Amino acid sequence: PVAILAQDSQVDSTRAAAMGDNPQDSMDKLHGAGPNLAALTSYSWNVFRYLGDYLHLGGVVVLLLTMAKNQSCAGLSMRSQILYFIIFVTRYLDLFDHTQTAYLVFFKLTYIITSGIALMAFYSMQGTYERHKDTCNLVIILVPCFTAALLLTNEYSTLEVLWTYSEFLEGFAMVPQYIFCYRDTNKDVGVTSFVVALGGYRVFYAMNWIYKKINMPQYMDIQSWIGG
């Protein structure tokens, strides 16, 4: 989910080490050990999070099925898929670093694998790729997001900086697809469903953040909030 899956994966090793704790799940990594951990964990697993997770997953499935059914990349932005691949690879490096629940591992691996499959599909069906409609310049997204990550990261470690980078980058990942859709006059129902699902998932994640903030006023996740 992405934003909440990502924040579950955030590293706070300094705090955990200072408290002599050995984190056992992703929530420990983000918030360290403390009296509020159990409450935060319970509020994190709420209906808005689950709806967001499964809308995102559904959108990815629709994307791949649409490409398979049409045997075409028509209507789809390869640049958005490049951004998502970068996001998932930079965000989920903690898979090699930390013990996590099966739920998180499933979603993280699924997003990495499916984003790679989507890019391979673009390569194998490049004759149907409408490059002239996919005009968003990725440099103006990648460079400012990385600069913001360096300035706003909580800790200057590789995992932390890359996680922060992925948070900011996700806020712009669908921009190339939106530009593509604006230029595209032939609307495919599969493409439309994919775009709507990804937009809906972001809405439910925002509702999840609001829910957690209401129930735990001390909850803060500035990078995710800025990234949207």
Side-chain angles (χ1 to χ4, degrees):
V2 174
I4 299 303
L5 291 178
Q7 72 181 45
D8 286 348
S9 302
Q10 181 68 323
V11 180
D12 197 352
S13 56
T14 302
R15 181 176 176 184
M19 301 186 73
D21 194 63
N22 181 24
Q24 293 300 313
D25 58 31
S26 295
M27 196 62 72
D28 280 331
K29 289 186 67 178
L30 176 59
H31 299 281
N36 294 321
L37 178 60
L40 180 60
T41 301
S42 66
Y43 288 126
S44 292
W45 297 91
N46 58 70
V47 64
F48 303 117
R49 174 196 175 126
Y50 285 118
L51 287 172
D53 284 350
Y54 288 106
L55 261 180
H56 190 185
L57 181 62
V60 171
V61 171
V62 168
L63 168 69
L64 297 179
L65 289 178
T66 298
M67 297 177 80
K69 174 179 176 293
N70 298 340
Q71 287 296 294
S72 169
C73 302
L76 295 166
S77 166
M78 184 172 71
R79 300 188 181 202
S80 274
Q81 298 309 311
I82 290 172
L83 290 178
Y84 274 117
F85 183 75
I86 295 172
I87 289 166
F88 298 141
V89 170
T90 55
R91 182 174 298 174
Y92 299 145
L93 290 173
D94 66 315
L95 284 168
F96 302 101
D97 166 76
H98 196 76
T99 301
Q100 300 173 46
T101 65
Y103 181 92
L104 293 175
V105 172
F106 167 77
F107 273 93
K108 292 178 181 184
L109 289 177
T110 297
Y111 292 140
I112 293 173
I113 293 170
T114 53
S115 62
I117 291 173
L119 287 180
M120 287 190 291
F122 270 98
Y123 177 77
S124 64
M125 296 185 286
Q126 56 185 312
T128 65
Y129 171 44
E130 302 168 296
R131 191 180 304 274
H132 63 286
K133 298 178 183 177
D134 201 8
T135 57
C136 182
N137 189 338
L138 293 188
V139 174
I140 65 174
I141 295 177
L142 294 169
V143 174
C145 286
F146 189 72
T147 303
L150 291 175
L151 294 174
L152 299 174
T153 185
N154 289 329
E155 177 187 325
Y156 285 99
S157 65
T158 300
L159 287 179
E160 182 88 19
V161 171
L162 290 178
W163 176 84
T164 306
Y165 178 51
S166 74
E167 286 290 281
F168 293 143
L169 200 56
E170 190 175 12
F172 299 94
M174 286 296 286
V175 170
Q177 182 65 57
Y178 295 149
I179 294 174
F180 193 111
C181 289
Y182 175 76
R183 299 179 184 279
D184 193 19
T185 55
N186 301 313
K187 308 298 183 184
D188 181 272
V189 64
V191 175
T192 301
S193 299
F194 161 69
V195 173
V196 170
L198 268 291
Y201 127 74
R202 300 301 292 176
V203 170
F204 280 113
Y205 266 74
M207 294 172 69
N208 165 70
W209 296 329
I210 294 170
Y211 173 82
K212 288 203 292 184
K213 187 64 176 177
I214 290 173
N215 286 280
M216 291 195 70
Q218 69 272 31
Y219 161 69
M220 295 290 290
D221 189 5
I222 298 300
Q223 290 89 348
S224 295
W225 298 345
I226 294 175

